[in-house]
Amino acid sequence: MKKNIAVLAGDGIGPEVMSQALLVLDAVAKQFGHQFTISEGLVGGAAYDKGGTHLPDETKALCQSSDAILFGSVGGPVAQQHLDKWKNCEANSILSLRKLFSFNANLRPVRILPELQALSPLKAEIIQKGVDLVIVRELLGDCYFGEHKQFIEGGMRQASDLSLYTEEQIANVAHTAFRLAKMRRKKVTSVDKANVLAASKLWRTVVKEIAQEYPDIQTENLLVDNCAMQLVINPSQFDVVLTTNMFGDILSDVAAVLPGSLGLLASASLNSSGFGLYEPPGGSAPDIAGKDIANPIAQINSVALLLRLSFGLETEALSIEQAVESTLKDGFRTKDIYRPEAAKDTNLSLVGTQQMTNQILKHLSGVEHHVR
Ligand code: NAD
């Protein structure tokens, strides 16, 4: 397969974890006989330094001419957000890309690996039932995009945010969730607040209509307050969780802390024609940048997600995920996931960003033998 990938490494740990993820991509390409053409573009503070803007036109054009985008992270230290270089950096970069490509769905897969059970805030007996779910969040509707107003009426300060959904917006993201469930355990839990909100009532009606096109998928509805609770007390019941923009914003962050480190997860933003941007959900982590201690797994798993969802390369995606898992089974840990006191029988080795990747690459070449 021949594909073009736009690579936007960004700021902080972005470039150092991206370089490692590209080694993995290269290894997979060689192993399976693919040709991935990588074109790097500037974004965030790195772009601002060169041209005074966080998302230059050349970067937009590069993304538009690619088959998928692999994104690192952008932004500066929290204490320096007032500087021009960092002001609105995240919004100018990521939200602009979201708008440019009409990304309408954000996918956040969450898995707790048995090897990392001790890092999770959840109790062992909950994790042992297996936690492997994806939150699918609608990205273009809801109160984030409706009219925002502050006004005074009857001498009282008031404010309102209009939460608006069209049936088309709901149907588009629902199709994404159902298609994803087909590739997984075939269950969609649609989350809303249909006992109160009109937008949620429409959400539930449209999801039910779309569900009829996917008779092999089990569909259920859950109110958002119950879903928040269930994510913590019984997350193994979930496969694909489909929800609105605001509920998804909150629920995906609840789900993101379950594995124990931001350095492990990948996420995807997709539009209705399937074009996607893949990135770790964490930020640029300026506190650890340039020290070779960042966990490269989130960026490496983003490559796996890209291969699976944008190029349909399931075997290649699995080989990366299995190589990561085997490396963790071997006991290799970057600093964010190194808790020797919590790992009873295992001998853990504390490694840096590059050493971690080297171990993953070793397992990938083992897979090469097996696949051929
Ligand atoms: P952050 O996600 O960068 O860091 C939070 C904590 O998680 C830090 O202690 C960091 O060291 C740790 N962490 C994150 N990724 C890690 C990894 N791969 N390995 C090990 N540890 C990791 O959040 P923050 O410090 O609040 O924000 C820093 C900057 O990132 C800000 O400018 C913010 O605007 C930006 N940001 C960008 C994105 C994005 O690019 N998508 C997302 C969130 C925040």
Side-chain angles (χ1 to χ4, degrees):
M1 179 182 281
K2 283 187 184 176
K3 292 285 181 189
N4 297 317
I5 303 176
V7 170
L8 316 185
D11 306 310
I13 61 168
E16 51 191 294
V17 290
M18 185 65 85
S19 65
Q20 303 306 296
L22 292 181
L23 292 176
V24 170
L25 181 67
D26 188 48
V28 169
K30 289 197 175 109
Q31 203 170 303
F32 291 89
H34 301 303
Q35 201 177 317
F36 299 129
T37 305
I38 302 302
S39 307
E40 302 204 31
L42 288 172
V43 71
Y48 192 93
D49 279 344
K50 205 150 180 227
T53 156
H54 292 123
L55 186 66
D57 288 343
E58 310 87 78
T59 302
K60 288 184 199 164
L62 171 70
C63 293
Q64 278 165 325
S65 64
S66 299
D67 298 304
I69 305 170
L70 186 61
F71 194 92
S73 47
V74 293
V78 175
Q80 293 178 22
Q81 297 296 326
H82 59 284
L83 301 178
D84 283 347
K85 175 175 175 181
W86 300 123
K87 211 182 282 169
N88 300 324
C89 176
E90 208 182 322
N92 291 343
S93 316
I94 298 181
L95 295 188
S96 302
L97 281 169
R98 247 185 221 177
K99 231 188 214 165
L100 182 65
F101 289 101
S102 300
F103 289 130
N104 69 316
N106 182 258
L107 275 58
R108 179 85 60 93
V110 174
R111 244 175 106 210
I112 303 184
L113 300 173
E115 298 73 35
L116 300 181
Q117 191 173 297
L119 298 176
S120 174
L122 299 181
K123 286 186 181 154
E125 62 260 32
I126 293 175
I127 297 170
Q128 270 150 18
K129 288 193 256 167
V131 179
D132 182 359
L133 58 94
V134 184
I135 308 266
V136 177
R137 167 189 170 194
E138 200 287 329
L139 278 184
L140 294 177
D142 212 344
C143 54
Y144 295 0
F145 290 90
E147 187 193 11
H148 307 292
K149 269 200 307 196
Q150 290 202 45
F151 55 99
I152 298 179
E153 208 173 278
M156 181 89 80
R157 284 177 296 165
Q158 303 186 35
S160 74
D161 301 283
L162 180 68
S163 168
L164 185 75
Y165 262 117
T166 68
E167 58 180 312
E168 188 185 25
Q169 284 172 327
I170 302 168
N172 281 343
V173 72
H175 279 298
T176 302
F178 281 101
R179 281 196 297 263
L180 184 68
K182 261 177 165 311
M183 298 162 66
R184 295 175 46 93
R185 300 196 308 280
K186 301 191 170 41
K187 181 178 173 189
V188 170
T189 304
S190 174
V191 176
D192 57 40
K193 190 72 182 168
N195 54 341
V196 182
L197 304 175
S200 276
K201 287 186 170 75
L202 179 66
W203 178 277
R204 196 172 277 208
T205 304
V206 175
V207 170
K208 195 174 164 198
E209 289 163 7
I210 301 296
Q212 285 165 7
E213 298 177 35
Y214 300 87
D216 53 333
I217 307 289
Q218 182 197 343
T219 312
E220 64 177 17
N221 296 299
L222 208 57
L223 293 174
V224 62
D225 36 352
N226 191 9
C227 181
M229 196 166 72
Q230 297 298 328
L231 271 174
V232 177
I233 61 173
N234 185 16
S236 54
Q237 68 185 285
F238 296 121
D239 178 18
V240 174
V241 176
L242 163 66
T243 192
T244 64
N245 201 347
M246 185 167 75
F247 297 153
D249 190 1
I250 300 163
L251 295 176
S252 56
D253 272 15
V254 173
V257 299
L258 301 182
S261 170
L262 277 176
L264 297 165
L265 299 171
S267 82
S269 296
L270 305 176
N271 65 20
S272 32
S273 53
F275 182 77
L277 177 150
Y278 300 83
E279 60 175 332
S284 58
D287 53 330
I288 57 166
K291 297 179 180 166
D292 191 41
I293 56 174
N295 192 340
I297 290 178
Q299 195 75 61
I300 289 170
N301 278 339
S302 301
V303 169
L305 200 57
L306 182 155
L307 296 179
R308 171 177 291 126
L309 297 181
S310 276
F311 303 162
L313 298 174
E314 180 62 24
T315 308
E316 289 79 343
L318 268 179
S319 75
I320 294 176
E321 288 161 353
Q322 283 165 2
V324 166
E325 228 169 290
S326 302
T327 302
L328 293 169
K329 268 194 194 120
D330 290 345
F332 293 101
R333 300 283 188 273
T334 44
K335 195 163 174 252
D336 55 311
I337 53 174
Y338 181 67
R339 307 259 173 85
E341 70 289 353
K344 288 177 202 109
D345 306 321
T346 323
N347 269 332
L348 297 187
S349 313
L350 178 62
V351 292
T353 312
Q354 297 179 43
Q355 283 171 298
M356 188 66 151
T357 311
N358 287 342
Q359 294 303 326
I360 293 168
L361 288 168
K362 273 187 199 165
H363 278 289
L364 265 179
S365 52
V367 174
E368 173 184 34
H369 208 67
H370 176 71
V371 169
R372 281 178 182 167

